[in-house]
Amino acid sequence: MTETNRPAAAPADDEPDLLRDQFKQLLRYRRLLGAGVGIGLLGGVYLGISTADTYVATADVVLRAPTDDPFNPSLAPDKAINIGSERQVALSSSTAEQAAKKLGVADKDFAALRGGLQVTNPPQTMVLRFTYTSASPKEAAKRANAMTAAYLLKRQEALDATRDKMVKGYEDQRDPVAKQLDDTARQANNLPAGTARDSALSSKTDLQSKVNTLNGNIAKLAALDMTPGRVTSPATPPAAPDGPGIPMSLALGAAVGLALGLLAAWVRLVFDPAPRSEGDVARALRAPVLGSLPRDKTGGGPLLAAGEADPRLAEEYRSVAFRLAYDSRFADRRRLLVVAPRGSSETAAAVAVNLAASFAETGKDVLLIEADLRTPVLASQLPTDAGGRPRWSQPGAAAAGSDADWPDGRQLVVDAGESGSFDLIPGERARNVPRALTSPRATRLISEADSPNSTVVVLAPPVLSYADALALVDRVDGVLVVCDPRAVHRSDLSRIRELIGGAGGTVLGAVLHTPLATEKRGGRGASKKAAAASGAGPAPAPQPLTRQPADPGEPIAGDGGDTVALRTVRTGRR
C-alpha cells in the first residue's frame, strides 16, 4: 500500500519565529541601517570635535534662611526658601551684571558671559550648583566663582533690604506711640490725685507696652543672622575637557545611529506592502513556499535548466516537483496550473517548462500546455524538426470545428536532455480567448491527466492581469503561483487566493524568484517596454494541421511530433 503525504500547510504563527523573521526582515534594509550608522558617526565626530576644547568648572552654594537661632530645628529651611525662585535669581541678568563688573567684561561680551552659566539644584537639597562652560579651564573657574559671589552678594543685599524695610516700618509705628507716651506721662505728672490721674497713668501703661513691643521687634530683626549662604565647593580649573573624547563619541554616535536606523527600518517595514520573507508569502496565500530559485548571475539564465553547468537551479526545480508529487491534492488529479501575479510571465514559463522536465525525469508522460493565447512565445522562438505522430493529439480534433481555432492539434516534443522528453501544446493567438480556453478540445487536453502515469502542466497569463487563468481553475484545481516577493504586494497574494478559491481551485504553493535581468537593468519601465514590444510583434505563422502522408515513411511537417531543443534559450532573450 502506497502512503501519500498530506499537503503542507501554512506555518503556524509562533511568536519567537515571527520575531526572528521580523528581525531578519529589518536587516534587509541595509541602506537605512547604513545611513543611520553614518549619521550617528558624523554626529559623534562633531560631538568629539566640538567638546574637545570645552572646559566646565563647578561651584556649590548652600543656602541659609535668616534666623536668630541657627540651632533651632523647629524652622525647616525648605519652608523659608523657595529654591526654584532662587535658581531664577542666580540666572538673572542682575546677577550677571554684578559678575561682569567684577570680571571687567565689556557690554558686547555680556550675552556670552550669561550664556555659559548653568544653575541646577540637586534633588532633596538646599544646594545651588553653578556650572560654567568656557574654552579655557582658568576662565571657566574664574567666571564660576564670580557668578557665585555675585549671587551671594545679590542675595545678601536683598535680605538686608528686606530687614531694613521691616525695621523702618516698626520705627514708623513706634515714633508716634513714643511721642504720645511722653505727652501722657507729662499730663499724669501735672494732674492731682484722683480719677483723672489714674486714667492718665493707665493710658501711659498701655502706650509703654506698645512701645516695648515695637522695640522688641526691632531688636529681634537686628539680631537676625542674615548670612545668605556659604560656598561649600569653590570652582577650580578642570584638568581635562568636558567632552567624552573622540573614541567614546564615535561609539555613542554609532549606537545612536544604529538605533535610528533600526527605527527607520521598522517604520519602513510596517508601511511596506510587499512581503519581505517566505513567511509573509505563505501567510498571504495560506499555502507553503515550495521553493526559492537561486539568484541568476548569467543575465537571464536558461529556460530549461537540465544539463546546465550550475546544477543549483535544476535541483531546485526537482525539489519543487518532488514536493508537488507528494502533495495529495496534486497526486489525486496531476493537473497543475502555473501562473504569475501580474506583469511578465517569463519566470512562470521557465518554472512550467522545468517542472514538466522534472516530472518527465520520473518516468511520467507529461504534457505542457501553453494557455497564454495573448502573447504565445514558446513555439515561435524555438526551431522545430519533423518527428513522429504526437501522443496527445486526437485525430479529427481540428476537423471537428469550423475553423482552426486553438487548440488545433499541433504538438511538439521537447527534448529535455538527460531528463527525457515531454510534449508541448504551443499557444496561438485566438480571436476569442475565453471561448478557446473553455472549448471542449481544451477540456479534453487537460483531462489527459486522468490517464495512468500522466501529468498535465498548464501555463496561463498573469492571474491579476487577465481572467484566463480563472477560466481554467475548475478543471485544473492545483495552482502554483510564481512571484518575486519584492515586486508583489501582500494584498495581491491574498486577492489571488480569494479568486482561485472562489473559482473552485486550490493554491498548492508558491515559487519565489529574484528580479529578472531586464528588470534589474532597466527597471519596471524597461520590462513594460519589453512586454509591449513582444505583444506588438507579428504573430507567428500558424503551423499546418495534422494530415495523413501519402507515403507512410514520409515525415509530416507540423504534425506535432517535432523535437525542440530548449537548453540554449535564455529567459532574458524571450
Side-chain angles (χ1 to χ4, degrees), residues 9-13 17-18 20-22 24-25 28 274-294 316 320 323 483-486 490 493 509-514:
D13 292 340
D17 291 341
L18 290 177
R20 190 181 306 109
D21 186 37
Q22 188 177 37
K24 290 181 180 179
Q25 294 176 34
R28 293 175 181 266
R276 306 300 295 186
S277 68
E278 295 184 1
D280 284 350
V281 175
R283 282 186 288 271
L285 290 175
R286 296 183 185 175
V289 175
L290 300 178
S292 181
L293 303 182
E316 187 64 29
V320 174
R323 295 171 186 173
C483 65
D484 175 12
R486 298 176 182 269
R490 290 187 295 268
L493 298 178
V511 174
L512 307 183
H513 65 90
T514 55

Side-chain angles (χ1 to χ4, degrees), residues 38 52 221 230 291 296 322 341 373 403 406 433 512 529 543 547:
L221 289 174
R230 69 179 187 278
D296 181 23
F322 178 82
L373 306 184
D403 53 13
W406 184 91
V433 174
L512 307 183
K529 292 179 180 178
Q543 298 291 338
R547 61 179 178 85

Side-chain angles (χ1 to χ4, degrees), residues 509-566:
V511 174
L512 307 183
H513 65 90
T514 55
L516 298 176
T518 54
E519 296 177 356
K520 290 180 181 179
R521 290 192 298 265
R524 296 183 179 178
S527 61
K528 291 181 179 178
K529 292 179 180 178
S534 62
Q543 298 291 338
L545 301 179
T546 304
R547 61 179 178 85
Q548 298 295 333
D551 184 2
E554 177 187 355
I556 304 174
D559 66 347
D562 306 334
T563 301
V564 184
L566 298 182

Side-chain angles (χ1 to χ4, degrees), residues 5-213:
N5 291 356
R6 300 300 302 170
D13 292 340
D14 189 11
E15 189 68 22
D17 291 341
L18 290 177
L19 293 176
R20 190 181 306 109
D21 186 37
Q22 188 177 37
F23 183 75
K24 290 181 180 179
Q25 294 176 34
L26 290 178
L27 296 181
R28 293 175 181 266
Y29 298 100
R30 297 182 179 89
R31 292 184 179 179
L32 289 177
L33 296 178
V37 173
I39 293 174
L41 291 177
L42 290 177
V45 171
Y46 173 77
L47 177 63
I49 295 177
S50 62
T51 58
D53 55 351
T54 301
Y55 296 87
V56 176
T58 302
D60 293 339
V61 176
V62 177
L63 303 183
R64 294 181 69 254
T67 179
D68 56 351
D69 186 0
F71 302 103
N72 184 9
S74 61
L75 182 61
D78 57 344
K79 302 297 182 182
I81 300 176
N82 189 332
I83 194 67
S85 300
E86 295 299 329
R87 179 177 174 274
Q88 295 299 322
V89 172
L91 293 171
S92 64
S93 59
S94 59
T95 303
E97 290 174 357
Q98 184 69 30
K101 293 178 181 179
K102 183 177 180 180
L103 295 172
V105 176
D107 294 341
K108 63 179 181 179
D109 298 328
F110 177 76
L113 172 66
R114 188 180 178 184
L117 177 65
Q118 278 188 331
V119 180
T120 57
N121 169 234
Q124 305 300 325
T125 63
M126 298 301 295
V127 175
L128 287 181
R129 178 162 296 166
F130 289 75
T131 303
Y132 200 89
T133 304
S134 179
S136 171
K138 293 183 179 181
E139 190 69 18
K142 180 180 179 181
R143 294 193 174 190
N145 290 327
M147 286 290 187
T148 302
Y151 165 71
L152 291 177
L153 180 59
K154 282 295 181 181
R155 178 171 168 76
Q156 182 71 58
E157 293 177 353
L159 293 177
D160 291 341
T162 301
R163 182 180 62 178
D164 294 342
K165 185 176 180 180
M166 294 183 66
V167 168
K168 186 177 184 303
Y170 284 134
E171 290 177 347
D172 291 342
Q173 297 178 32
R174 183 196 61 182
D175 292 343
V177 176
K179 183 179 180 181
Q180 186 178 1
L181 175 61
D182 293 339
D183 295 340
T184 302
R186 190 181 305 107
Q187 292 177 3
N189 293 331
N190 296 329
L191 290 175
T195 304
R197 182 181 175 83
D198 294 339
S199 177
L201 291 175
S202 177
S203 298
K204 177 184 175 182
T205 302
D206 294 338
L207 293 173
Q208 185 65 49
S209 177
K210 291 181 180 180
V211 171
N212 292 338
T213 301

Side-chain angles (χ1 to χ4, degrees), residues 450-464:
D450 295 336
S451 303
N453 201 36
S454 300
T455 301
V456 172
V457 180
V458 182
L459 173 64
V463 66
L464 295 180

